Amino acid sequence: MRGWGLPLVSAAFVLILAEATQRAGLLPSVVPAPSLVLLQAWDNPALVSNNCLATLGTATAGYVVAMTVTFAASALAAMLYRLYGAVYNLGLTLHAIPVIAATPLLAILIGGGPPLRVLIAALSCQFPMLVGMMQGMRAADSRQRELMHVLAASRADTWRYLLLPAALPFVFAGLKIAAPSAILGAITAEWAGADRGVGAVMLNALFSFDVAKVWLSVLLTCILSAGTYGIWALAESHLLRWKISAENFP
Amino acid sequence: MFLRAPLIALISIALAGLVWQGLVVALHVPHYVIPAPDAIVAAAISQRHVLLAQAGFTVRATLIGLVVSLAFALACAVGFTRSREAERAALPLLIAFRSAPVPAIAPIAMLFLGRGIGTSILVVTIVSFFPLLVNLMRGLASVDRNAAELFHVYGAGFWQVFGMLRLPTALPFLFTGLRIAGAAALLGAMLSEWITGSHGLGNLILESADMRETELLWAAVLMSVGIAMGLFWLTATGERIVTRGA
């Protein structure tokens, strides 16, 4: 926790400074006092929770879809090595298609409803997952595999004691990086027309020039994307404690 | 010889277009799902004024933003090579900027600058600043040790070392940064047009999708791909011209 002191202090300083200068009338009207943004959330708890849940639901659905598909694809690539390059390139190509080009085209194909937003969220987070899983499945050293063979380990034992532990750090890295992308993908998809969600709130507030609500939606965007990253980072540090302690071993 | 890469690209695009046309015609795909290339070209020609005007807006925002960003990055890089303290003081702030996603930057930029080109330029500047700065810093730091010693022995001043040694060393790195920043810049411009909803290719894509003008939609999407490839080719060509002289 020691590394947190200075950033927290400077963030608090910036917030207090903003509050004071806004109260003194020194800031333009497009920068609201931080207390006003918080008050906005305090007054409309339903607005915050409903829209955050909508975005979180879309992002989670997309995340799970992407996780399932990339797991299947990387398992396929691990079993049939000839497909390795093809799977990787397919993921890279999908990653290279910008959201802004994909969304309208997909909207025409599958309609503009929730499935579209889930698909966009899935598309925007699949690549880091795919890279992590594909790297993870190849992570076990061939000498270690040989050792398991020499020890006459069963397939299940090899999987449990060698392949899974070797893969987990890479898989976690991929899942962790992908989590904010799923949130941001869901919010971008909501810009294209959704009645609920943080992105919808943002767009409505922008067009009615509701400054405090715009900042609130931006704040929620940051909290959601950083929070999902943080959850994975926490899970990683608990589940992979053996790895961290092994890294610290001299 | 700089034209060979675009020529190959054109030939492969033409081939892909032929296959596309054949598939659409053979499988009777309805035009509102995937239009045939000839219909897209026809739509692009008949609506060329709209298409070119909006593409021009996007390109202008992207290029101006890139230039502003480059100027800032260069200034910061010079400052950081002059004093380590400046780097240590400014870097956390810059990293905070770097980690703010476009969906968070764009609405705030719009609050400040309204729905015109200014918002796009600001977003492009912020998005492309970091790759440019990182690559410039790496380039400025990777001077040859012997050459640096020679400059020191000759008693060269900071600006002499900078202009004759550091900057020429940094040029290839700068182009790498430009190539990364260029793609991010175009995307940033189009995303901010999406949210401001007034001008530009990004807005045209969204609007033509809403109006179910599929041909115009595809024309706009393909146009944005073409602009991205053009930017890439421009930086690659610039790099070859500049580094050949060095």
Side-chain angles (χ1 to χ4, degrees):
Chain A
M1 286 310 275
R2 211 171 25 174
W4 287 78
L6 195 63
L8 275 181
V9 168
S10 48
F13 177 72
V14 169
L15 283 179
I16 292 170
L17 190 73
E19 186 77 40
T21 44
Q22 179 62 28
R23 289 270 167 94
L26 293 173
L27 281 184
S29 62
V30 292
V31 183
S35 61
L36 208 65
V37 177
L38 290 182
L39 210 64
Q40 182 83 241
W42 185 258
D43 286 345
N44 306 312
L47 175 101
V48 174
S49 59
N50 281 346
N51 292 300
C52 280
L53 281 180
T55 301
L56 213 53
T58 307
T60 310
Y63 194 75
V64 171
V65 168
M67 208 148 66
T68 317
V69 173
T70 50
F71 182 76
S74 52
L76 192 71
M79 282 187 283
L80 289 172
Y81 189 69
R82 215 177 297 166
L83 288 179
Y84 195 88
V87 169
Y88 187 85
N89 283 332
L90 183 64
L92 185 64
T93 312
L94 286 179
H95 181 63
I97 300 174
V99 181
I100 188 161
T103 307
L105 296 180
L106 289 172
I108 286 173
L109 290 178
I110 64 171
L116 171 74
R117 295 194 279 280
V118 171
L119 188 60
I120 295 293
L123 279 176
S124 32
C125 69
Q126 53 90 18
F127 192 59
M129 285 186 191
L130 185 71
V131 172
M133 289 186 191
M134 287 177 83
Q135 267 184 332
M137 290 192 184
R138 299 177 61 185
D141 191 28
S142 65
R143 282 172 304 177
Q144 293 170 316
R145 283 173 206 254
E146 229 163 78
L147 177 67
M148 294 308 267
H149 185 72
V150 169
L151 293 175
S154 66
R155 272 186 96 90
D157 278 344
T158 310
W159 175 254
R160 165 71 187 80
Y161 291 107
L162 175 61
L163 298 182
L164 192 64
L168 274 182
F170 294 96
V171 173
F172 263 103
L175 290 176
K176 196 169 59 174
I177 298 171
S181 306
I183 297 279
L184 297 178
I187 288 175
T188 316
E190 282 162 2
W191 286 357
D195 43 0
R196 265 154 38 91
V198 177
V201 172
M202 192 184 281
L203 217 54
N204 285 338
L206 269 176
F207 282 100
S208 52
F209 211 74
D210 188 339
V211 174
K213 210 181 266 179
V214 173
W215 281 81
L216 178 64
S217 62
V218 169
L219 185 69
L220 291 178
T221 305
C222 296
I223 290 176
L224 283 178
S225 53
T228 47
Y229 182 89
I231 288 173
W232 276 113
L234 213 64
E236 186 183 20
S237 68
H238 276 272
L239 287 174
L240 300 185
R241 196 171 280 159
W242 50 270
K243 181 178 176 282
I244 293 162
S245 59
E247 273 171 357
N248 292 340
F249 195 73
Chain B
M1 64 182 282
F2 298 140
L3 292 173
R4 193 191 289 160
L7 198 68
I8 293 171
L10 274 183
I11 291 174
S12 46
I13 289 169
L15 275 178
L18 276 179
V19 172
W20 182 350
Q21 179 92 31
L23 281 178
V24 168
V25 171
L27 299 176
H28 301 288
V29 181
H31 72 97
Y32 53 82
V33 178
I34 297 174
D38 62 338
I40 296 174
V41 172
I45 290 173
S46 70
Q47 311 236 35
R48 61 184 178 281
H49 297 297
V50 181
L51 208 56
L52 285 180
Q54 305 300 355
F57 183 88
T58 303
V59 169
R60 217 173 330 138
T62 308
L63 290 183
I64 294 175
L66 274 176
V67 169
V68 173
S69 187
L70 184 60
F72 272 121
L74 204 58
C76 279
V78 171
F80 291 170
T81 41
R82 280 212 85 143
S83 89
R84 297 246 86 179
E85 286 73 32
E87 181 180 353
R88 224 169 293 150
L91 220 52
L93 196 71
L94 294 175
I95 288 173
F97 254 116
R98 160 76 184 77
S99 39
V102 179
I105 299 170
I108 292 178
M110 183 180 157
L111 279 184
F112 276 96
L113 295 169
R115 298 176 56 186
I117 197 169
T119 302
S120 302
I121 292 176
L122 182 61
V123 172
V124 169
T125 307
I126 292 176
V127 165
S128 53
F129 175 76
F130 209 74
L132 287 176
L133 178 72
V134 166
N135 281 288
L136 263 177
M137 295 284 295
R138 200 180 299 157
L140 290 174
S142 65
V143 289
D144 184 36
R145 188 173 279 276
N146 291 329
E149 225 160 79
L150 182 70
F151 272 81
H152 183 71
V153 167
Y154 281 162
F158 175 83
W159 289 108
Q160 281 173 317
V161 178
F162 190 84
M164 292 183 212
L165 179 61
R166 285 190 190 273
L167 206 56
T169 320
L171 272 181
F173 291 86
L174 173 64
F175 278 105
T176 309
L178 267 179
R179 213 171 301 158
I180 300 169
L186 185 64
L187 280 182
M190 285 172 62
L191 273 177
S192 51
E193 286 158 9
W194 201 348
I195 202 165
T196 55
S198 54
H199 302 281
L201 219 44
N203 188 48
L204 183 67
I205 287 175
L206 209 58
E207 252 176 22
S208 53
D210 283 344
M211 302 289 180
R212 288 287 181 273
E213 291 182 55
T214 326
E215 287 85 0
L216 183 61
L217 166 64
W218 275 90
V221 168
L222 292 177
M223 188 114 189
S224 65
V225 175
I227 293 172
M229 282 163 65
L231 270 177
F232 191 89
W233 178 74
L234 213 63
T235 51
T237 309
E239 179 175 11
R240 234 174 303 166
I241 291 173
V242 168
T243 49
R244 203 178 36 170

